[in-house]
Amino acid sequence: MRISVIVPAYNEEAVIGRCLEALVTQTVPADEIIVVDNNSSDRTVEVAEQFSEHGVRVVRETRQGVVYARNRGFDEATGDILGRIDSDTMVGPEWVGRLAEAFATDPKGMPAAVTGPSWFYDIPMRRFGLFAHRLFCHQVNRLISGHPMLWGSNMAVSRECWAKVRDHACTGTGLWEDLDLAVHLHRLGLRVRYVDRLRVPVSARRIGATTRDLYSYLKAWPQTYRRHGQRRAAGGAMVFLLFGLVALRPFSLLVRAHTPYDGTLSLGRLFSRSSSASRPLP
């Protein structure tokens, strides 16, 4: 079973090096690692190409948007299993091995896709972050939609699955491309397996955004369901979105004030007007 790992990247020089370092030091090596550069204007490509001797390949996708970068990576990949993480994901050394195990040992037969939860490596209260991610990303989506969610920072699809869903997946803006893919897999009768032990650490940079920026990102959640005519799920997503903005705001402020380099809290960061994307990362 050959495993390819695809990493879409847009202006990710701050994190892409650590992401790739984690991928090339797996106990069970990936057969192929593809970084899809999506018009980066920083040193993303330069940093990624430093891993070429470890088999990392950089391809370019000029159509802007993570869905186009993801599709290009999946289309370029040669593996039987197509893994997909984000540039700020830092997989543990067992991730590729556990991914292969998840596809090979499912008692219900080989699934079409596999996904798992995340915790946040650059903030305190990591156990709470894992709990919140399980709740809002996976359990809530299953509750309101009746089918599992895919988490773009920690997922994989089989090559056979991608061939079936490729032309159904939506493109464009205003959608969560991973949730969109999960909706289409469900409609095609293709099964997603959630594996709790397939955990990966990711950055909390988006959580530390201003309320306006965080809402701008999260509103794509109900919009994705609405785009597919799932009005009940869209309504449920909006309710949980608004609840989450209020209930998790103290946690968001803590994230915003936290300095990932030394673990201290900074009032200057707390009152900064900068977007979450510009947050310094370890």
Side-chain angles (χ1 to χ4, degrees):
M1 182 185 294
R2 286 178 50 82
I3 295 184
S4 301
V5 182
I6 291 84
V7 186
Y10 171 66
N11 287 347
E12 295 285 13
E13 68 171 296
V15 290
I16 190 68
R18 288 194 173 189
C19 172
L20 295 178
E21 182 66 33
L23 282 176
V24 302
T25 55
Q26 294 287 293
T27 55
V28 176
D31 296 281
E32 182 179 46
I33 300 171
I34 300 174
V35 174
V36 185
D37 174 55
N38 199 202
N39 301 310
S40 297
S41 58
D42 64 359
R43 296 178 57 252
T44 295
V45 172
E46 179 183 342
V47 174
E49 288 179 340
Q50 293 174 4
F51 291 84
S52 60
E53 64 183 38
H54 297 286
V56 175
R57 180 161 60 100
V58 178
V59 300
R60 290 173 172 80
E61 174 53 58
T62 58
R63 291 172 296 176
Q64 194 66 48
V66 65
V67 64
Y68 296 112
R70 179 204 68 189
N71 290 359
R72 176 67 186 274
F74 282 2
D75 291 343
E76 289 274 343
T78 61
D80 305 300
I81 302 300
L82 312 180
R84 185 263 201 252
I85 62 174
D86 284 326
S87 299
D88 63 358
T89 304
M90 290 185 3
V91 298
E94 307 293 332
W95 185 75
V96 170
R98 288 180 178 177
L99 195 63
E101 181 183 355
F103 277 94
T105 63
D106 190 338
K108 297 181 180 179
M110 184 170 174
V114 165
T115 194
S118 290
W119 51 273
F120 304 106
Y121 59 75
D122 52 354
I123 59 170
M125 301 174 64
R126 293 176 178 177
R127 290 187 178 180
F128 177 75
L130 177 61
F131 166 78
H133 186 269
R134 282 194 189 116
L135 176 63
F136 283 98
C137 182
H138 295 287
Q139 296 175 10
V140 165
N141 273 290
R142 183 183 286 271
L143 173 67
I144 64 178
S145 70
H147 61 78
M149 165 77 164
L150 283 172
W151 172 236
S153 295
N154 183 21
M155 58 163 281
V157 299
S158 68
R159 170 167 294 282
E160 181 180 357
C161 164
W162 179 240
K164 292 178 179 178
V165 78
R166 168 70 170 86
D167 294 334
H168 295 270
C170 298
T171 57
T173 61
L175 301 177
W176 279 359
E177 49 85 21
D178 45 7
L179 178 57
D180 169 76
L181 192 60
V183 170
H184 288 290
L185 290 179
H186 175 69
R187 289 182 171 180
L188 291 172
L190 300 172
R191 185 168 58 89
V192 174
R193 182 185 183 191
Y194 172 81
V195 180
D196 191 70
R197 70 191 298 263
L198 189 72
R199 303 175 184 179
V200 299
V202 299
S203 174
R205 54 184 173 172
R206 197 180 293 278
I207 296 177
T210 64
T211 301
R212 176 181 295 180
D213 288 343
L214 189 57
Y215 175 75
S216 179
Y217 167 70
L218 290 176
K219 69 181 181 181
W221 181 13
Q223 286 177 354
T224 303
Y225 282 126
R226 197 174 297 115
R227 169 83 171 265
H228 297 89
Q230 295 179 274
R231 290 182 293 179
R232 176 179 175 274
M238 180 58 72
V239 170
F240 280 104
L241 184 163
L242 296 175
F243 170 78
L245 285 176
V246 175
L248 296 179
R249 191 54 185 164
F251 182 62
S252 179
L253 292 174
L254 177 63
V255 171
R256 191 171 182 82
H258 183 254
T259 305
Y261 301 109
D262 56 17
T264 61
L265 298 179
S266 167
L267 290 178
R269 288 185 50 78
L270 179 62
F271 295 107
S272 172
R273 293 180 177 271
S274 63
S275 68
S276 59
S278 65
R279 175 182 180 179
L281 293 165

